[in-house]
Amino acid sequence: MTPDPSTNVLGGALAQCSTDPLTGYFRDGACNTCAADTGSHTVCAVMTEEFLAFSKYVGNDLSTPRPEFGFAGLKAGDGWCLCAARFLQAHDEGCAPKVSLEATHARALEIVPLRVLQEHALT
């Protein structure tokens, strides 16, 4: 797997998203991606209780620990590389989490318009 260039949605170098918990398609702390990442784990989001409940409701439980996979479960305040389509779905449902634009991979723009990401940008 050859990673795509580490470029963020603003055209700069991709910043780290989270190393605790360790996130990213490559589990390198950044929302790096490649052609094999069909889920496009490219949006660096800061979890909220509302988003975690929404994600669980739609079938992707991110808050329950799964020790068999080395996953402690996410909590509000954790950074995580979300699938771009899930982020857009949460936006459409009114419960999207905040986003680090500097740590969101440019490939997210194939699914999520920049104006939507900017609407949820961390300040």
Side-chain angles (χ1 to χ4, degrees):
M1 291 186 288
T2 303
D4 290 358
S6 296
T7 305
N8 67 36
V9 295
L10 303 174
L14 187 66
Q16 287 287 104
C17 183
S18 175
T19 56
D20 186 20
L22 188 59
T23 191
Y25 182 76
F26 294 104
R27 290 298 188 261
D28 60 0
C31 297
N32 283 303
T33 190
C34 67
D37 179 13
T38 57
S40 190
H41 297 79
T42 52
V43 177
C44 180
V46 177
M47 298 295 99
T48 62
E49 291 295 337
E50 183 181 31
F51 174 78
L52 289 168
F54 167 77
S55 188
K56 186 175 186 175
Y57 175 76
V58 296
N60 187 21
D61 183 358
L62 296 172
S63 55
T64 300
R66 298 291 305 265
E68 67 273 26
F69 299 115
F71 182 68
L74 299 177
K75 61 187 180 315
D78 286 342
W80 195 250
C81 294
L82 288 181
C83 293
R86 177 70 74 217
F87 173 82
L88 187 58
Q89 181 185 23
H91 164 77
D92 291 345
E93 295 295 328
C95 58
K98 291 293 185 184
V99 173
S100 169
L101 297 176
E102 294 80 9
T104 295
H105 197 281
R107 188 168 158 211
L109 298 174
E110 295 174 4
I111 297 168
V112 184
L114 181 58
R115 66 169 178 73
V116 171
L117 292 169
Q118 289 170 325
E119 182 179 324
H120 298 283
L122 291 167
T123 55

